[in-house]
Protein backbone atom coordinates (compact mmCIF):
# COMPACT_ATOMS: atom_id res chain seq x y z
CA UNK A 1 0.00 0.00 0.00
CA UNK A 2 1.38 3.40 -0.99
CA UNK A 3 1.51 6.08 1.73
CA UNK A 4 1.48 9.67 0.61
CA UNK A 5 4.35 11.59 2.28
CA UNK A 6 3.26 14.24 4.77
CA UNK A 7 3.57 17.81 3.51
CA UNK A 8 6.39 19.72 5.37
CA UNK A 9 3.95 22.31 6.77
CA UNK A 10 1.78 19.51 8.23
CA UNK A 11 4.88 17.97 9.84
CA UNK A 12 5.59 21.26 11.60
CA UNK A 13 1.98 21.56 12.83
CA UNK A 14 1.97 17.94 14.06
CA UNK A 15 5.22 18.48 15.99
CA UNK A 16 3.81 21.66 17.55
CA UNK A 17 0.70 19.81 18.74
CA UNK A 18 2.79 17.06 20.33
CA UNK A 19 4.87 19.59 22.26
CA UNK A 20 1.75 21.46 23.39
CA UNK A 21 0.07 18.30 24.73
CA UNK A 22 3.21 17.26 26.57
CA UNK A 23 3.58 20.68 28.18
CA UNK A 24 -0.06 20.75 29.27
CA UNK A 25 0.06 17.29 30.84
CA UNK A 26 3.12 18.22 32.90
CA UNK A 27 1.47 21.28 34.54
CA UNK A 28 0.87 20.81 38.33
CA UNK A 29 -2.67 21.14 39.74
CA UNK A 30 -3.05 22.86 43.13
CA UNK A 31 -6.00 21.64 45.20
CA UNK A 32 -6.55 24.90 47.08
CA UNK A 33 -5.74 27.29 44.25
CA UNK A 34 -8.59 29.55 43.14
CA UNK A 35 -6.95 32.22 40.99
CA UNK A 36 -10.15 32.98 39.12
CA UNK A 37 -11.78 34.02 42.40
CA UNK A 38 -9.23 36.68 43.23
CA UNK A 39 -10.06 40.29 42.43
CA UNK A 40 -7.76 42.24 40.14
CA UNK A 41 -4.67 43.27 42.09
CA UNK A 42 -2.11 45.86 40.99
CA UNK A 43 1.43 44.50 40.44
CA UNK A 44 2.66 45.80 43.79
CA UNK A 45 -0.05 43.86 45.69
CA UNK A 46 -0.52 40.22 46.57
CA UNK A 47 -3.54 38.35 47.92
CA UNK A 48 -3.30 37.62 51.63
CA UNK A 49 -3.83 33.96 52.51
CA UNK A 50 -6.38 33.35 55.26
CA UNK A 51 -5.85 30.18 57.31
CA UNK A 52 -9.05 28.47 58.41
CA UNK A 53 -8.84 26.77 61.79
CA UNK A 54 -11.65 24.48 62.92
CA UNK A 55 -12.54 25.34 66.49
CA UNK A 56 -14.25 22.02 67.17
CA UNK A 57 -12.53 18.76 66.30
CA UNK A 58 -15.50 16.41 66.45
CA UNK A 59 -17.57 15.24 63.47
CA UNK A 60 -19.77 18.34 63.33
CA UNK A 61 -20.41 19.56 59.81
CA UNK A 62 -18.27 22.37 58.41
CA UNK A 63 -17.67 22.83 54.67
CA UNK A 64 -15.58 25.07 52.48
CA UNK A 65 -16.90 25.86 49.01
CA UNK A 66 -14.18 26.81 46.57
CA UNK A 67 -14.50 27.79 42.94
CA UNK A 68 -13.64 24.20 42.03
CA UNK A 69 -16.39 22.79 44.25
CA UNK A 70 -17.04 21.72 47.84
CA UNK A 71 -14.13 20.38 49.85
CA UNK A 72 -13.82 19.12 53.40
CA UNK A 73 -12.70 21.77 55.86
CA UNK A 74 -9.68 20.87 57.95
CA UNK A 75 -7.62 22.62 60.58
CA UNK A 76 -5.10 24.84 58.86
CA UNK A 77 -6.90 24.85 55.50
CA UNK A 78 -6.19 27.96 53.45
CA UNK A 79 -9.01 30.17 52.16
CA UNK A 80 -8.90 32.67 49.33
CA UNK A 81 -11.05 35.53 48.11
CA UNK A 82 -14.26 34.04 46.73
CA UNK A 83 -14.35 31.00 49.05
CA UNK A 84 -17.40 30.33 51.22
CA UNK A 85 -17.59 28.67 54.64
CA UNK A 86 -20.77 26.87 55.69
CA UNK A 87 -21.30 25.48 59.17
CA UNK A 88 -23.91 22.87 59.95
CA UNK A 89 -24.13 21.78 63.57
CA UNK A 90 -20.51 22.75 64.16
CA UNK A 91 -18.82 26.03 64.97
CA UNK A 92 -15.72 27.25 63.21
CA UNK A 93 -12.91 29.70 63.88
CA UNK A 94 -11.03 31.75 61.32
CA UNK A 95 -7.66 33.25 62.06
CA UNK A 96 -6.85 36.09 59.66
CA UNK A 97 -3.15 36.85 59.26
CA UNK A 98 -2.53 35.38 62.70
CA UNK A 99 -4.27 38.37 64.31
CA UNK A 100 -8.01 38.77 63.74
CA UNK A 101 -10.25 36.02 65.10
CA UNK A 102 -13.66 35.23 63.62
CA UNK A 103 -15.99 32.74 65.30
CA UNK A 104 -18.86 31.32 63.22
CA UNK A 105 -21.82 29.87 65.08
CA UNK A 106 -23.59 26.75 63.78
CA UNK A 107 -25.74 27.28 60.67
CA UNK A 108 -23.70 30.21 59.36
CA UNK A 109 -22.86 31.01 55.74
CA UNK A 110 -19.86 33.31 55.30
CA UNK A 111 -18.09 34.35 52.11
CA UNK A 112 -14.56 35.75 51.91
CA UNK A 113 -15.34 38.57 49.50
CA UNK A 114 -11.88 40.10 49.66
CA UNK A 115 -8.57 39.42 51.38
CA UNK A 116 -5.86 41.57 49.85
CA UNK A 117 -2.55 42.86 51.12
CA UNK A 118 -0.82 45.83 49.53
CA UNK A 119 2.82 44.82 50.02
CA UNK A 120 4.07 48.26 49.06
CA UNK A 121 1.86 50.26 51.46
CA UNK A 122 1.80 47.35 53.95
CA UNK A 123 -1.96 47.64 54.38
CA UNK A 124 -4.69 44.99 54.35
CA UNK A 125 -8.23 44.98 52.98
CA UNK A 126 -10.60 42.32 54.32
CA UNK A 127 -14.29 42.14 53.39
CA UNK A 128 -16.55 39.36 54.68
CA UNK A 129 -20.10 38.67 53.47
CA UNK A 130 -22.34 37.16 56.15
CA UNK A 131 -25.27 35.77 54.17
CA UNK A 132 -26.84 34.10 57.20
CA UNK A 133 -25.94 33.14 60.74
CA UNK A 134 -23.83 34.88 63.35
CA UNK A 135 -20.26 35.99 63.99
CA UNK A 136 -18.10 37.05 66.90
CA UNK A 137 -15.03 38.98 65.82
CA UNK A 138 -11.96 40.05 67.78
CA UNK A 139 -9.91 42.49 65.75
CA UNK A 140 -6.70 44.23 66.85
CA UNK A 141 -6.32 47.89 65.92
CA UNK A 142 -5.77 48.20 62.19
CA UNK A 143 -2.88 50.01 60.60
CA UNK A 144 -3.79 53.34 59.01
CA UNK A 145 -4.98 52.71 55.45
CA UNK A 146 -6.24 49.18 56.20
CA UNK A 147 -9.90 48.23 56.30
CA UNK A 148 -12.06 45.46 57.73
CA UNK A 149 -15.73 45.18 56.76
CA UNK A 150 -18.55 42.75 57.37
CA UNK A 151 -21.45 42.94 54.92
CA UNK A 152 -24.87 41.39 55.51
CA UNK A 153 -28.10 41.47 53.46
CA UNK A 154 -29.15 44.66 55.31
CA UNK A 155 -26.02 46.36 56.66
CA UNK A 156 -22.30 47.07 56.56
CA UNK A 157 -20.12 47.11 59.67
CA UNK A 158 -16.80 48.91 59.31
CA UNK A 159 -14.29 48.14 62.02
CA UNK A 160 -10.96 49.63 63.10
CA UNK A 161 -10.25 47.34 66.04
CA UNK A 162 -12.67 45.92 68.57
CA UNK A 163 -14.60 42.91 69.86
CA UNK A 164 -18.11 42.74 68.42
CA UNK A 165 -20.99 40.40 67.64
CA UNK A 166 -23.08 40.50 64.47
CA UNK A 167 -26.28 38.54 63.94
CA UNK A 168 -28.55 38.13 60.92
CA UNK A 169 -32.22 37.22 61.24
CA UNK A 170 -35.63 38.88 61.38
CA UNK A 171 -37.15 41.57 63.59
CA UNK A 172 -40.93 42.05 63.47
CA UNK A 173 -41.03 40.20 60.16
CA UNK A 174 -38.23 42.30 58.63
CA UNK A 175 -34.81 40.98 57.64
CA UNK A 176 -32.39 42.55 60.09
CA UNK A 177 -28.80 42.72 61.30
CA UNK A 178 -28.03 43.21 64.97
CA UNK A 179 -24.65 44.60 66.00
CA UNK A 180 -23.37 44.51 69.57
CA UNK A 181 -20.01 46.15 70.27
CA UNK A 182 -18.38 44.66 73.36
CA UNK A 183 -15.03 46.41 73.59
CA UNK A 184 -13.90 49.30 71.41
CA UNK A 185 -12.01 52.58 71.59
CA UNK A 186 -13.51 54.18 68.50
CA UNK A 187 -16.71 52.18 68.02
CA UNK A 188 -17.94 50.40 64.89
CA UNK A 189 -19.35 52.12 61.82
CA UNK A 190 -22.80 50.74 61.00
CA UNK A 191 -24.75 51.50 57.80
CA UNK A 192 -28.19 50.42 56.62
CA UNK A 193 -27.92 49.32 52.98
CA UNK A 194 -31.55 50.18 52.20
CA UNK A 195 -31.74 53.74 53.53
CA UNK A 196 -28.06 54.70 53.51
CA UNK A 197 -28.30 55.83 57.13
CA UNK A 198 -25.11 55.36 59.11
CA UNK A 199 -23.86 55.87 62.65
CA UNK A 200 -21.17 54.79 65.10
CA UNK A 201 -22.00 52.08 67.63
CA UNK A 202 -19.85 52.67 70.75
CA UNK A 203 -18.63 50.10 73.27
CA UNK A 204 -21.21 48.02 75.15
CA UNK A 205 -23.98 49.21 72.82
CA UNK A 206 -26.48 47.49 70.52
CA UNK A 207 -28.02 48.62 67.21
CA UNK A 208 -30.25 47.00 64.59
CA UNK A 209 -30.48 47.60 60.82
CA UNK A 210 -33.77 46.53 59.21
CA UNK A 211 -34.78 45.91 55.61
CA UNK A 212 -37.41 48.70 55.83
CA UNK A 213 -34.52 51.18 56.10
CA UNK A 214 -34.66 51.76 59.84
CA UNK A 215 -31.40 51.97 61.74
CA UNK A 216 -31.86 51.88 65.50
CA UNK A 217 -30.04 54.42 67.61
CA UNK A 218 -27.36 52.59 69.65
CA UNK A 219 -28.47 51.65 73.14
CA UNK A 220 -25.87 51.10 75.84
CA UNK A 221 -26.72 47.87 77.65
CA UNK A 222 -26.90 47.54 81.41
CA UNK A 223 -25.11 44.67 83.12
CA UNK A 224 -28.37 42.71 83.20
CA UNK A 225 -29.02 43.37 79.51
CA UNK A 226 -25.49 42.29 78.60
CA UNK A 227 -25.96 39.08 80.56
CA UNK A 228 -29.23 38.44 78.70
CA UNK A 229 -27.50 39.11 75.36
CA UNK A 230 -24.75 36.58 76.05
CA UNK A 231 -27.30 34.01 77.22
CA UNK A 232 -29.15 34.48 73.93
CA UNK A 233 -25.83 34.10 72.07
CA UNK A 234 -25.32 30.70 73.70
CA UNK A 235 -28.65 29.56 72.27
CA UNK A 236 -27.19 29.70 68.75
CA UNK A 237 -25.01 26.74 69.72
CA UNK A 238 -27.92 24.75 71.18
CA UNK A 239 -26.95 21.34 72.53
CA UNK A 240 -24.66 20.47 69.63
CA UNK A 241 -21.50 20.66 71.72
CA UNK A 242 -19.94 23.15 69.31
CA UNK A 243 -17.34 25.42 70.86
CA UNK A 244 -18.37 28.95 71.83
CA UNK A 245 -14.88 30.18 72.67
CA UNK A 246 -11.92 31.61 70.79
Amino acid sequence: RNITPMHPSKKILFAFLLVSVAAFSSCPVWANSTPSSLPAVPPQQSAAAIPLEIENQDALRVEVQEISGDVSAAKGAILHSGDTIKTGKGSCRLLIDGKAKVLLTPHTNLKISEAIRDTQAKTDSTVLMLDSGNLKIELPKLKKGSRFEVNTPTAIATVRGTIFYIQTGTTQGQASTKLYVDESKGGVGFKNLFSGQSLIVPAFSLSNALANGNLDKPVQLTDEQKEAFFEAWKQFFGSSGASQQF
Side-chain angles (χ1 to χ4, degrees), residues 54-108:
I54 302 300
E55 176 73 10
N56 202 294
Q57 293 302 306
D58 57 19
L60 300 180
R61 186 179 179 83
V62 177
E63 292 182 349
V64 175
Q65 183 179 19
E66 298 183 340
I67 297 301
S68 57
D70 291 341
V71 298
S72 297
K75 183 175 181 178
I78 303 300
L79 296 179
H80 305 86
S81 297
D83 290 348
T84 298
I85 311 156
K86 300 176 181 179
T87 59
K89 294 182 178 180
S91 60
C92 174
R93 182 179 70 181
L94 289 180
L95 185 62
I96 301 178
D97 196 31
K99 301 173 185 177
K101 300 176 182 178
V102 181
L103 177 65
L104 290 72
T105 69
H107 309 294
T108 292

Side-chain angles (χ1 to χ4, degrees), residues 47-234:
I50 300 179
L52 165 66
E53 181 180 352
I54 302 300
E55 176 73 10
N56 202 294
Q57 293 302 306
D58 57 19
L60 300 180
R61 186 179 179 83
V62 177
E63 292 182 349
V64 175
Q65 183 179 19
E66 298 183 340
I67 297 301
S68 57
D70 291 341
V71 298
S72 297
K75 183 175 181 178
I78 303 300
L79 296 179
H80 305 86
S81 297
D83 290 348
T84 298
I85 311 156
K86 300 176 181 179
T87 59
K89 294 182 178 180
S91 60
C92 174
R93 182 179 70 181
L94 289 180
L95 185 62
I96 301 178
D97 196 31
K99 301 173 185 177
K101 300 176 182 178
V102 181
L103 177 65
L104 290 72
T105 69
H107 309 294
T108 292
N109 189 336
L110 180 70
K111 181 178 180 179
I112 310 300
S113 297
E114 181 175 288
I116 297 175
R117 168 164 296 155
D118 185 329
T119 56
Q120 184 174 8
K122 296 183 179 179
T123 57
D124 295 339
S125 178
T126 304
V127 180
L128 307 178
M129 178 63 201
L130 178 62
D131 288 318
S132 60
N134 315 280
L135 302 177
K136 176 184 177 181
I137 298 178
E138 182 176 324
L139 181 69
K141 185 176 180 180
L142 295 179
K143 182 180 178 179
K144 185 177 180 179
S146 294
R147 72 165 178 162
F148 191 102
E149 285 185 4
V150 179
N151 297 341
T152 74
T154 63
I156 299 176
T158 306
V159 193
R160 296 297 306 168
T162 185
I163 298 175
F164 69 101
Y165 298 73
I166 191 162
Q167 305 171 1
T168 62
T170 58
T171 301
Q172 298 177 347
Q174 294 277 337
S176 66
T177 300
K178 290 182 179 180
L179 172 67
Y180 172 69
V181 179
D182 193 29
E183 296 179 14
S184 177
K185 293 183 178 179
V188 174
F190 199 38
K191 179 179 180 179
N192 188 304
L193 289 175
F194 289 88
S195 64
Q197 295 184 67
S198 62
L199 45 76
I200 300 294
V201 182
F204 311 117
S205 298
L206 177 71
S207 181
N208 194 9
L210 287 80
N212 62 8
N214 288 344
L215 182 62
D216 292 347
K217 182 180 179 180
V219 175
Q220 188 165 2
L221 302 188
T222 64
D223 289 341
E224 289 184 358
Q225 289 172 326
K226 284 189 283 187
E227 184 176 347
F229 174 86
F230 291 124
E231 282 300 317
W233 172 263
K234 293 178 183 178

